[in-house]
Amino acid sequence: MYTLPRNLKLFSIVLIVLGLAGIIFGFLTTPKTIDDVKEIMAEQEGHHGEEHAVVTHGEENTANFVDEARGQEGYSDAAMEHATDLKPEGHGVASHEEHVLHQLQTRPWSATFVAAFFFMMIALGALVFYAIQYASSAGWSPVLYRIIEGITSYLLPGSVIVFLIVVFAGTHFYPWQNHELVADDKILQGKAGYLNFPFFLIRAVIYILGWNLYRYFSRKNSLAQAEANNYEPHRKNFKASVFFLIFFLLTEATMSWDWFMSMTPHWYSTLFAWYIFASMFVSAITVIALVTIHLKNMGLVPFVSDKHLHDLAKFMFAFSIFWTYLWFGQFMLIWYANIPEEVTYFIIRIQEYKVLFFGMLILNFVMPILVLMNSDYKRIPWFVVIAAVFILVGHYIDIFLLVMPSTVGHNWSFGIPEIAAFLFFMGLFIFIVGTGLGKVSLRPKNDPYIKESENYHF
Amino acid sequence: MSSHYEAPIREPLVLGEKSYHDISVDVGAPVLGKANKSWWIVFTIALVAFLWGLGCIIYTVSTGIGVWGLNKTIGWAWDITNFVWWVGIGHAGTLISAVLLLFRQKWRMAVNRSAEAMTIFAVVQAGLFPIIHMGRPWLAYWVLPIPNQFGSLWVNFNSPLLWDVFAISTYLSVSLVFWWTGLLPDFAMIRDRTTSPFQKKMYGILSFGWSGRVKDWQRFEEVSLVLAGLATPLVLSVHTIVSFDFATSVVPGWHSTIFPPYFVAGAIFSGFAMVQTLLIIMRKVSNLEAYITVLHIEYMNKVILLTGGIVTVAYLTEYFIGWYSGVPYENYTYLSFGAATGPYWWAFWALIICNLIVPLSLWVKSLRRNIMWTFFVALIINIGMWFERFDIIVVDLSKDRLTSSWTMFQPTFVDIGTFMGTIGFFFVLFLLYARTFPVIAQAEVKTILKSSGESFKRLRAQHGDD
């Protein structure tokens, strides 16, 4: 039996309290009126000059950067129309200050959402990994079932928080919820059949219900298997896993379109959903490896060997490459064809977030390759931990880059709201996963493959 | 590689009371025996088709591409459709030998040899098309970056068609090496078993003097693993690059970022269908039912279900985003309302029925384990995946941005004859292979006999397995 170590528990509670304070601070300190914005702009111009790009860049240069680049090449007004109102505000905003005001007010929302989604996707990705193990009758991984179940215990609170954020964020995230804007925008009117609030809400409810139901029943069956004298609960889980995977493949796609792609409602990319999945999956496997190492250090899982760690590390390695493959596929195709409507997505990310955008590639691709290529290293816990830190930081940045450029644009920075939100959800994650792990014995009994898994070596 | 313990609830992979010797005899039999009449009949048919195709190719090259049904709007049709179709078929072989090796799937051992052979023969067919669809194929060597007398005139590395050259040639060479390495112990087995001096000589050369020492085996396993690790990204990138031929363009329907993974999934989908088609016949005529069992067929059907499901989600995504984009041109792409009701409606529905609806039947366990039904579904998928490529290429080109350029495509007998010819050539190669190569990796199957053989599993059940 596992109990969350006292100091780790204390640590997580401190994180939650500190983080919560920081999040509240972030919400309270957003500018309320246009006058506040003017003050901030004046202050920043005084202090930092052109060095700080936050607000001083000005509408003429960045807000319509696509115009600048394209206008000279003689694109028609109609083509421009697509490109310019990619900004959340589009035509709806009277002045530059109002635009900045909205972005600054959005910042704490975005900061909270990035961290909330990051930790939720770890739990969800772990659940998918778990379902795949069942559906593929894996022989090596049953020793990890309780560990993964512990991680997925965060799914319920995590997904409810994410649900609340996307439902209440309104026009902070989703410009298509702004009726004035839609009234002026033919393209958004065309999408209203999908991008409308009631349907958006229904879809979100379906996602979190479906995911959590699978988590609930698979956990229940998995525990029932320990008491059973036949394999009936395992068979049920096998079936449930297969149907969950179908459900997940579909809902993950629509979830990505709903929660992320529709932040820039003119932009679209068919690969987008699978790209987010890759990020989710590799982060989840990384966390499974980290928790396994933690439990192994405490001597609680003697049946998990370094061969199991080796396999997890291989998955971290392989799916880091897979993520890069999808990243490159999406980026290169849009870069190559250079269609104005699509490139805006990357132009803002490269112009305003250059270091993060390319730095993320080093963290998510180059480092895991270098650290985890050697097969001996994959069995050394601290090596895996190093790779895990690279991967998790990298994928946090990845989510950050999905959300921030689309919501706060060039008015981003990394300060108290972002750090506080990360700490809060990290504390919550540690606390809930720690409690979840402590509920039952960590050794799954009576699983048909458990013996194969314990004897596993290669 | 993997543990010797196996959970009792796993089904056996080798049926009957087989010993190591039985495996050698069963695998060696087609090579050491004589071809029967039906082999000769089928071989002759394939050869005639091949020669007819060869005639069509010679006619095309000597007369000009105009003998094909291409027009000014649709400059790619059957040629590239067949190219992508054949490359896609080849992918299952590498998936079975490389990806399933990385995932330690024991069942791959009975099917990997033939799947890899299929890869190589399919890539050979595919490789014909990039050459013969050129207007001036005798200048094909210009695609290679060779220093030359035109002031070292170079190729432009920005074109996905050039990446194709590198992708396909690398793919063919790596697959060939991977396949041949695996064949060494099996050729050695034939060499040691044959009584004919000619065969002994030939298989002695082919097996590179393999003697099966411990050190050799150790290195053999390591090489296999490294090659599998390299072939996996290769197989993904090759079909990705093939998909780039379309996705990098600005043609509505072609320019879609999902193409790389979607083409790869489709390739595995169609490749496995072809493996089913070939192996269901082969296990019968070569008496290999004890090794290629119903379980193997079911597993392959599950892979077909998985990749078919991924492809289905990609179809839905394409259809949805086509609508979501709000771009009017997207209404004429291969997966759009316009395509479903337009002049190519039959091609659209062929794709939907063959790739999406018919494979759904494999969700039913009894159909998934039914060999006749599997054979039928596999054929349907092969047809459907041909239509997928045809739709992507021809439907998207037929109604592009300018309505004044809208047109239809009509294949000529040369288009059809060339395609038939490649099918003939493929079967010529495959039939020759089936008579001269050990079609099952007997050395590998022997490694799982005691953990997964039916009789050994029964023994363990009787005497306990601890």
Side-chain angles (χ1 to χ4, degrees):
Chain A
M1 283 292 269
Y2 172 82
T3 41
L4 190 59
R6 184 183 283 273
N7 48 5
L8 199 56
K9 193 172 189 172
L10 195 68
F11 175 66
S12 66
I13 292 171
V14 170
L15 286 183
I16 293 174
V17 172
L18 273 180
L20 199 59
I23 292 174
I24 294 169
F25 172 81
F27 275 98
L28 291 180
T29 50
T30 52
K32 301 286 169 297
T33 61
I34 290 180
D35 292 332
D36 293 344
V37 172
K38 282 180 180 153
E39 224 168 86
I40 293 171
M41 285 166 73
E43 197 180 308
Q44 275 174 347
E45 257 165 61
H47 280 302
H48 306 290
E50 75 277 16
E51 185 189 48
H52 239 253
V54 181
V55 188
T56 51
H57 249 280
E59 179 178 43
E60 309 78 52
N61 294 328
T62 45
N64 290 321
F65 52 86
V66 178
D67 274 19
E68 291 279 310
R70 293 287 166 188
Q72 293 156 2
E73 291 172 24
Y75 279 76
S76 69
D77 286 347
M80 288 300 87
E81 206 183 344
H82 286 226
T84 46
D85 39 273
L86 268 168
K87 283 279 156 193
E89 282 68 28
H91 304 306
V93 174
S95 73
H96 174 51
E97 282 81 11
E98 205 175 316
H99 180 82
V100 174
L101 172 69
H102 190 202
Q103 293 195 330
L104 290 177
Q105 284 178 338
T106 298
R107 190 181 147 198
W109 282 93
S110 301
T112 315
F113 181 56
V114 170
F117 185 80
F118 178 71
F119 284 98
M120 185 214 80
M121 82 171 184
I122 289 172
L124 182 58
L127 192 66
V128 177
F129 188 74
Y130 180 76
I132 290 173
Q133 303 309 310
Y134 266 104
S136 61
S137 300
W140 68 280
S141 52
V143 291
L144 303 173
Y145 282 173
R146 293 285 177 267
I147 299 174
I148 305 177
E149 285 162 16
I151 294 169
T152 56
S153 61
Y154 178 77
L155 183 65
L156 182 62
S159 61
V160 169
I161 295 171
V162 167
F163 173 80
L164 292 177
I165 295 175
V166 295
V167 168
F168 287 103
T171 53
H172 284 304
F173 285 175
Y174 307 114
W176 51 267
Q177 292 183 7
N178 179 344
H179 297 298
E180 288 168 35
L181 179 63
V182 176
D184 281 346
D185 191 314
K186 278 213 179 84
I187 295 175
L188 291 189
Q189 284 162 17
K191 298 183 186 194
Y194 185 78
L195 293 182
N196 61 72
F197 189 70
F199 192 24
F200 179 82
L201 188 69
I202 293 169
R203 288 195 303 268
V205 170
I206 292 173
Y207 309 153
I208 68 159
L209 260 183
W211 301 337
N212 283 299
L213 278 177
Y214 170 70
R215 145 76 199 167
Y216 174 76
F217 282 110
S218 66
R219 166 80 167 177
K220 202 173 129 189
N221 282 326
S222 178
L223 294 183
Q225 181 63 63
E227 310 301 325
N229 46 15
N230 58 15
Y231 291 142
E232 202 41 48
H234 177 86
R235 286 211 179 86
K236 274 192 202 158
N237 251 6
F238 173 84
K239 274 205 174 135
S241 303
V242 172
F243 286 106
F244 166 71
L245 287 173
I246 301 172
F247 178 79
F248 175 78
L249 193 59
L250 290 166
T251 51
E252 197 272 338
T254 48
M255 177 275 285
S256 310
W257 303 334
D258 288 359
W259 296 354
F260 294 96
M261 204 159 89
S262 79
M263 285 175 170
T264 43
H266 280 195
W267 182 80
Y268 51 87
S269 165
T270 39
L271 182 64
F272 193 67
W274 294 358
Y275 169 72
I276 291 183
F277 167 71
S279 207
M280 176 186 292
F281 202 54
V282 70
S283 313
I285 295 167
T286 306
V287 171
I288 295 172
L290 280 180
V291 176
T292 308
I293 291 172
H294 168 69
L295 295 172
K296 190 113 184 85
N297 282 345
M298 294 178 71
L300 290 168
V301 283
F303 45 88
V304 176
S305 70
D306 60 348
K307 276 90 177 172
H308 296 103
L309 184 64
H310 188 161
D311 269 12
L312 285 171
K314 273 192 261 186
F315 273 111
M316 286 160 63
F317 175 81
F319 279 94
S320 290
I321 298 174
F322 182 69
W323 173 88
T324 315
Y325 163 66
L326 294 184
W327 177 88
F328 178 76
Q330 181 168 266
F331 173 74
M332 194 280 277
L333 289 176
I334 290 175
W335 168 82
Y336 196 111
N338 205 13
I339 296 172
E341 190 161 19
E342 292 182 9
V343 288
T344 48
Y345 186 80
F346 286 111
I347 287 181
I348 186 164
R349 278 160 180 79
I350 290 175
Q351 284 185 349
E352 305 289 337
Y353 296 77
K354 191 173 228 145
V355 176
L356 287 183
F357 187 73
F358 292 108
M360 158 177 95
L361 282 180
I362 296 174
L363 289 170
N364 288 340
F365 177 57
V366 181
M367 297 318 288
I369 284 228
L370 294 179
V371 177
L372 293 177
M373 179 71 93
N374 188 314
S375 80
D376 294 333
Y377 295 171
K378 289 197 270 272
R379 298 182 181 203
I380 302 171
W382 62 268
F383 245 100
V384 178
V385 171
I386 290 177
V389 171
F390 285 128
I391 291 174
L392 290 178
V393 172
H395 286 284
Y396 173 80
I397 297 174
D398 190 17
I399 304 300
F400 189 84
L401 286 178
L402 286 175
V403 175
M404 290 294 177
S406 309
T407 54
V408 300
H410 55 259
N411 283 306
W412 72 282
S413 55
F414 196 80
I416 291 174
E418 288 79 11
I419 296 169
F422 187 83
L423 295 182
F424 173 77
F425 286 102
M426 185 160 82
L428 197 66
F429 188 83
I430 294 173
F431 186 80
I432 291 173
V433 171
T435 324
L437 282 169
K439 284 187 178 141
V440 288
S441 158
L442 286 170
R443 189 180 178 282
K445 269 195 302 186
N446 292 340
D447 186 276
Y449 301 107
I450 187 73
K451 201 172 159 207
E452 203 173 291
S453 180
E454 285 184 336
N455 283 312
Y456 163 69
H457 55 83
F458 60 92
Chain B
M1 274 297 293
S2 55
S3 165
H4 290 291
Y5 175 80
E6 190 174 281
I9 68 163
R10 293 198 194 274
E11 283 181 62
L13 291 169
V14 181
L15 299 180
E17 304 279 335
K18 295 290 179 190
S19 64
Y20 289 147
H21 178 69
D22 294 334
I23 297 177
S24 302
V25 171
D26 292 345
V27 174
V31 184
L32 302 171
K34 283 229 177 323
N36 60 15
K37 206 162 136 197
S38 44
W39 187 88
W40 281 107
I41 293 171
V42 179
F43 181 75
T44 312
I45 297 171
L47 192 66
V48 169
F50 168 44
L51 291 175
W52 173 251
L54 199 63
C56 288
I57 291 173
I58 292 169
Y59 176 55
T60 307
V61 172
S62 55
T63 313
I65 281 290
V67 300
W68 288 358
L70 301 175
N71 52 52
K72 280 192 234 169
T73 298
I74 301 172
W76 273 356
W78 277 51
D79 47 354
I80 299 300
T81 300
N82 300 335
F83 164 69
V84 182
W85 188 72
W86 277 118
V87 177
I89 283 174
H91 275 56
T94 318
L95 187 100
I96 289 174
S97 54
V99 179
L100 297 185
L101 176 75
L102 296 183
F103 282 116
R104 297 189 291 261
Q105 297 296 305
K106 290 176 178 174
W107 62 272
R108 62 169 248 289
M109 291 174 180
V111 292
N112 61 356
R113 174 67 40 75
S114 298
E116 286 169 58
M118 185 197 71
T119 295
I120 287 160
F121 304 146
V123 174
V124 168
Q125 307 314 320
L128 288 172
F129 286 100
I131 310 239
I132 61 174
H133 92 309
M134 289 180 174
R136 299 178 189 83
W138 48 90
L139 296 181
Y141 70 97
W142 282 17
V143 304
L144 302 173
I146 311 169
N148 53 55
Q149 291 169 322
F150 301 102
S152 249
L153 182 66
W154 221 240
V155 289
N156 185 342
F157 287 97
N158 290 337
S159 166
L161 299 182
L162 184 68
W163 308 338
D164 269 346
V165 173
F166 302 133
I168 302 292
S169 54
T170 312
Y171 187 48
L172 182 61
S173 18
V174 172
S175 301
L176 202 60
V177 170
F178 196 12
W179 187 51
W180 205 275
T181 320
L183 274 161
L184 293 179
D186 293 5
F187 279 146
M189 183 274 283
I190 303 281
R191 172 199 66 197
D192 297 343
R193 288 188 54 77
T194 182
T195 47
S196 127
F198 174 72
Q199 276 195 329
K200 212 162 200 86
K201 183 85 193 149
M202 289 313 293
Y203 288 100
I205 294 171
L206 293 175
S207 63
F208 294 176
W210 176 268
S211 57
R213 292 173 305 162
V214 172
K215 204 70 204 172
D216 295 348
W217 277 114
Q218 218 171 30
R219 289 179 178 139
F220 175 88
E221 294 241 319
E222 233 162 84
V223 164
S224 310
L225 208 54
V226 169
L227 280 179
L230 290 174
T232 303
L234 188 64
V235 72
L236 262 79
S237 63
V238 168
H239 218 66
T240 293
I241 286 172
V242 170
S243 82
F244 285 167
D245 293 348
F246 311 103
T248 51
S249 73
V250 292
V251 176
W254 280 13
H255 178 71
S256 172
T257 50
I258 208 171
F259 269 27
Y262 151 53
F263 267 52
V264 173
I268 297 164
F269 182 55
S270 69
F272 264 83
M274 190 57 122
V275 177
Q276 295 276 36
T277 317
L278 296 173
L279 286 188
I280 284 174
I281 295 173
M282 180 184 263
R283 69 193 282 277
K284 191 88 191 152
V285 297
S286 299
N287 293 318
L288 297 169
E289 282 120 323
Y291 305 100
I292 302 169
T293 67
V294 173
L295 183 66
H296 289 84
I297 289 169
E298 189 186 8
Y299 280 152
M300 289 197 274
N301 276 335
K302 284 183 176 174
V303 177
I304 287 176
L305 273 179
L306 172 70
T307 48
I310 294 173
V311 170
T312 301
V313 173
Y315 290 163
L316 298 176
T317 304
E318 285 271 23
Y319 202 94
F320 173 77
I321 299 284
W323 169 81
Y324 180 87
S325 70
V327 176
Y329 305 114
E330 290 280 341
N331 192 30
Y332 302 110
T333 62
Y334 71 108
L335 280 172
S336 62
F337 185 72
T341 54
Y344 279 111
W345 62 271
W346 46 273
F348 174 92
W349 290 106
L351 176 154
I352 298 292
I353 292 167
C354 296
N355 291 348
L356 211 155
I357 295 173
V358 174
L360 284 180
S361 64
L362 296 178
W363 280 101
V364 181
K365 184 163 182 166
S366 56
L367 291 175
R368 193 161 70 219
R369 291 182 82 104
N370 181 320
I371 293 171
M372 284 311 290
W373 182 254
T374 300
F375 188 75
F376 169 73
V377 172
L379 274 181
I380 295 285
I381 292 172
N382 281 323
I383 296 168
M385 286 305 290
W386 189 87
F387 270 106
E388 182 196 295
R389 280 65 178 255
F390 177 82
D391 288 10
I392 290 175
I393 293 168
V394 175
V395 176
D396 288 347
L397 285 177
S398 72
K399 287 192 173 180
D400 202 347
R401 291 196 161 84
L402 277 178
T403 46
S404 58
S405 304
W406 284 9
T407 185
M408 293 288 285
F409 170 80
Q410 199 66 51
T412 65
F413 80 94
V414 193
D415 284 298
I416 300 167
T418 309
F419 180 45
M420 290 302 160
T422 55
I423 294 178
F425 191 12
F426 176 81
F427 277 103
V428 164
L429 292 171
F430 197 82
L431 285 164
L432 287 173
Y433 150 83
R435 300 235 26 93
T436 48
F437 281 54
V439 294
I440 284 182
Q442 52 88 26
E444 291 204 65
V445 171
K446 284 173 185 172
T447 65
I448 58 162
L449 179 65
K450 288 194 173 165
S451 66
S452 311
E454 190 184 19
S455 53
F456 289 92
K457 280 184 97 79
R458 200 183 310 125
L459 276 177
R460 276 208 304 274
Q462 282 158 8
H463 301 288
D465 51 9
D466 287 310

